[in-house]
């Protein structure tokens, strides 16, 4: 007997929300019923799931009754407001916001890295930050062969990381600039089209921005290595979708490049993309709409005998957000970790 | 008595060539006569200098007679072909190509870093690679306070680095993509608009590309520190003009951030651009058309007690190429290092 589950998507009309709907369908997630939730402003619109139009409902106190899994992607404030209600109603709340990620009671999961953390959930599971997920998938297989001592990473983050409206704004900016007009800046603080700027999340007194500190703190939590040394520089670039990262790794001992390539060619969630003759490596346009994190340009760091350099591109909306959340849901199903499943089958 | 000099620009019609003409005028370089040289294909066109139209001539065996300074920016092959002729004719050949940069007989100069190297020239002086110049200007002032042990740098390089036609191609690509058409790729191997890719210069067997190795080898030569450890990842991004770099520096001892800021706020060729409250730091659009290298986001590396992180944007065509070359010419004039000046004044 195969079970199916009542799923709610909170933030259904956003970039990640619409991707969640598509992934539940394309991955044949056992959905008994799909509830699409959003703010009152977005309620009433219809979205297609398995050939059927589903009307988006305004989230309210009753929304989570009879729901097994909530996939939330409506921002930290919305998650903080509704997570406890969903848990109270018996659902598992898989949250794509940063609200609960560093909460010691909340597992922070990349299924390719720490699936075992799901077992200890108490109703809420956090989906990590997008750049963190992409890096974790790419470097964890190497970490398992030999501990990483230090990471220095620079990111190339697309407009999609700031949501669907940000992507539209960048297109509008590009059109304006090509017509010799002043580009509008409503979502982004500065023009992004044909420009770039350090990630504009709030700055810590250390001088690092929140996005960078997420990469530091979340990677440590996911790997379960509190002392892992990480420095990040996060940069927004005029790419529509898919993030890229230049990652410098320091190990305790030299890590053979051929071995790294072999490990990554077999790693779950990773696709090795290296054509040295054609000078072809991962690019955002090739990662867009795809599940795996594309990794390439693996080379011995010429500045450090225990160093490796690598480069990746991964779809921020997909593996960086929606896909990882759906994989967590799949993990819960496969391991019988839904709360409602402890009570009854339906 | 103020002298003036006969200057020739080889590659006058290119992106750097036209910038050289403007800089000679705006910086009031003492030009007695300006000769514009290019390939036979570009000869005949006219370019404005101090309100006067100058006809571009096809370079030939006689071009360098009666010339004191050649500013060359027409590619390595052209430089290799004509440098010796120019030197033979008595000129100093300031070369923007990579042809002679690592030649032990040829000084490689960033005037803010190693002006003294000019004194030993034997007719040819090399202008470093653009990304190298920008990094050298920004980190040399720190190096003078305390030696740098290791550099890990990731670049964000604009289309301008591949020349005027590449900039045009990126615009054409953007227009095509916005109209739902396939972007043309003639100059670049892949679409650059709304995309990015690792720098497509030829790959070394080490896995580093030529652009990255230039940053390594040229920085060592300019600093005069053969053992300086550097690793670079060079990436082409869809920005029209001005390169950016995320630079991680390791010193032998901790480098106080306030001290770094103080040093850089007074450093020649550097403009500190940090507004922590407004979350505003160097961006390509603000560096475009400007002389200084904009530096900001200076912060203590949280992964290394002796580390500093910094970020820069600098105009690749200007300080990264044309301006640096004109500054070298100014250095020669100021220090009486022109070859013709040893013989006669005119």
């Amino acid at each position: 007997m195969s079970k199916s589950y009542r799923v709610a998507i909170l933030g259904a009309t956003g970039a990640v929300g619409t991707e969640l709907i598509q992934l539940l369908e394309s991955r044949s997630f056992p959905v008994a019923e799909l509830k699409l939730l959003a703010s009152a402003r977005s309620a009433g619109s219809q979205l297609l799931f398995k050939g059927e139009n589903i009307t988006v409902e305004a989230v309210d106190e009753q929304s989570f009754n009879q729901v097994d899994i909530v996939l939330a992607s409506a921002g930290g404030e919305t998650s903080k407001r509704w997570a406890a209600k969903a848990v109270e109603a018996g659902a598992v709340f898989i949250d794509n916001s940063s609200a609960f990620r560093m909460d010691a009671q909340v597992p922070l999961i990349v299924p390719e890295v720490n699936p075992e953390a799901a077992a200890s959930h108490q109703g809420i599971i956090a989906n990590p930050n997008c750049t963190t997920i992409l890096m974790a998938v790419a470097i964890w297989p190497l970490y398992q062969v030999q501990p990483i001592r230090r990471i220095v990473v620079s990111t190339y983050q697309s407009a999609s990381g700031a949501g669907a409206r940000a992507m539209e704004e960048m297109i509008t900016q590009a059109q304006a600039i090509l017509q010799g007009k002043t580009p509008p800046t409503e979502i982004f603080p500065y023009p992004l089209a044909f420009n770039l700027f350090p990630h504009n999340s709030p700055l810590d007194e250390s001088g690092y921005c929140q996005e960078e500190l997420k990469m530091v703190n979340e990677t440590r939590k996911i790997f379960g290595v509190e002392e892992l040394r990480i420095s990040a520089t996060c940069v927004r670039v005029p790419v529509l979708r898919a993030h890229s990262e230049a990652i410098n790794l320091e190990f305790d001992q030299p890590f053979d490049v051929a071995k790294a390539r072999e490990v990554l060619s077999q790693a779950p969630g990773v696709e090795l993309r290296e054509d040295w003759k054609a000078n072809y490596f991962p690019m955002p346009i090739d990662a867009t709409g795809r599940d795996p994190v594309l990794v390439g340009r693996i080379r011995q760091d010429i500045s450090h005998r225990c160093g490796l350099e690598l480069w990746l591109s991964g779809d921020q909306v997909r593996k960086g957000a929606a896909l990882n959340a759906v994989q967590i849901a799949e993990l819960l199903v496969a391991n019988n970790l839904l709360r409602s499943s402890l009570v009854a089958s339906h």
Side-chain angles (χ1 to χ4, degrees), chain A residues 31-330:
Chain A
V31 177
E33 190 195 327
L34 183 62
K35 197 178 260 195
L36 302 182
L37 304 171
S39 63
R41 203 186 40 173
S42 299
S45 60
Q46 294 200 319
L47 293 168
L48 210 62
F49 176 67
K50 290 188 179 174
E52 202 181 314
N53 268 316
I54 302 180
T55 303
V56 177
E57 304 168 38
V59 58
D60 67 22
E61 303 282 333
Q62 269 62 57
S63 295
F64 306 104
N65 295 339
Q66 310 283 315
V67 166
D68 301 305
I69 302 168
V70 180
L71 297 165
S73 188
E77 289 312 308
T78 306
S79 288
K80 277 182 202 158
R81 179 158 175 211
W82 296 109
K85 303 277 181 200
V87 173
E88 205 177 292
V92 177
F93 191 89
I94 302 173
D95 184 27
N96 198 47
S97 85
S98 61
F100 303 105
R101 286 182 193 150
M102 296 312 295
D103 186 326
Q105 309 299 313
V106 174
L108 181 68
I109 297 179
V110 177
E112 291 86 349
V113 179
N114 61 338
E116 70 287 351
S120 64
H121 84 79
Q122 294 170 35
I124 303 175
I125 294 179
N127 205 43
N129 166 263
C130 52
T131 47
T132 306
I133 293 175
L134 302 178
M135 181 168 81
V137 167
I139 70 173
W140 176 248
L142 302 175
Y143 192 99
Q144 287 178 289
V145 175
Q146 211 185 105
I148 292 166
R149 189 165 63 175
R150 181 173 173 234
I151 303 167
V152 175
V153 55
S154 300
T155 72
Y156 301 70
Q157 299 184 226
S158 63
S160 60
R165 284 179 61 217
M167 291 171 78
E168 287 160 24
E169 178 164 290
M170 195 188 68
I171 291 172
T172 311
Q173 288 177 348
Q175 286 165 332
I177 291 168
L178 291 173
Q179 291 164 14
K181 295 178 188 161
T182 304
T185 50
E186 286 170 23
I187 314 288
F188 290 120
Y190 310 108
L192 181 59
F194 307 117
N195 190 33
L196 51 82
F197 45 81
H199 197 282
N200 58 302
S201 50
L203 293 156
D204 189 73
E205 59 188 12
S206 65
Y208 285 81
C209 69
Q210 288 307 318
E211 185 80 359
E212 292 162 351
L213 293 173
K214 286 175 187 174
M215 293 192 82
V216 175
N217 298 323
E218 294 182 18
T219 304
R220 287 175 175 167
K221 181 169 173 176
I222 296 161
F223 282 22
V225 184
E226 197 42 58
E227 67 279 11
L228 187 55
R229 290 155 56 198
I230 308 174
S231 184
T233 299
C234 290
V235 180
R236 190 73 78 188
V237 295
V239 167
L240 273 177
R241 186 165 155 162
H243 293 350
S244 302
E245 303 179 18
I247 305 175
N248 183 285
L249 299 172
E250 266 178 64
F251 298 87
D252 279 324
Q253 292 171 19
F255 199 120
D256 182 63
V257 173
K259 174 74 177 172
R261 203 162 278 139
E262 187 201 321
V263 167
L264 288 172
S265 68
Q266 294 163 14
V270 171
E271 185 174 305
L272 198 60
R273 276 276 183 126
E274 296 193 316
D275 184 338
W276 293 89
K277 277 188 186 156
N279 209 331
Y280 168 75
F281 302 101
M283 301 193 289
I285 52 169
D286 289 337
T288 294
R290 302 228 28 237
D291 288 351
V293 178
L294 309 184
V295 181
R297 287 214 75 203
I298 304 165
R299 59 202 195 279
Q300 164 70 44
D301 177 348
I302 50 173
S303 76
H304 198 297
R305 57 184 285 276
C306 301
L308 275 187
E309 290 271 13
L310 58 83
W311 168 256
L312 68 79
S313 292
D315 190 317
Q316 172 278 325
V317 186
R318 199 169 270 247
K319 181 57 187 171
L323 173 61
N324 198 71
V326 172
Q327 286 177 305
I328 292 172
E330 291 169 348

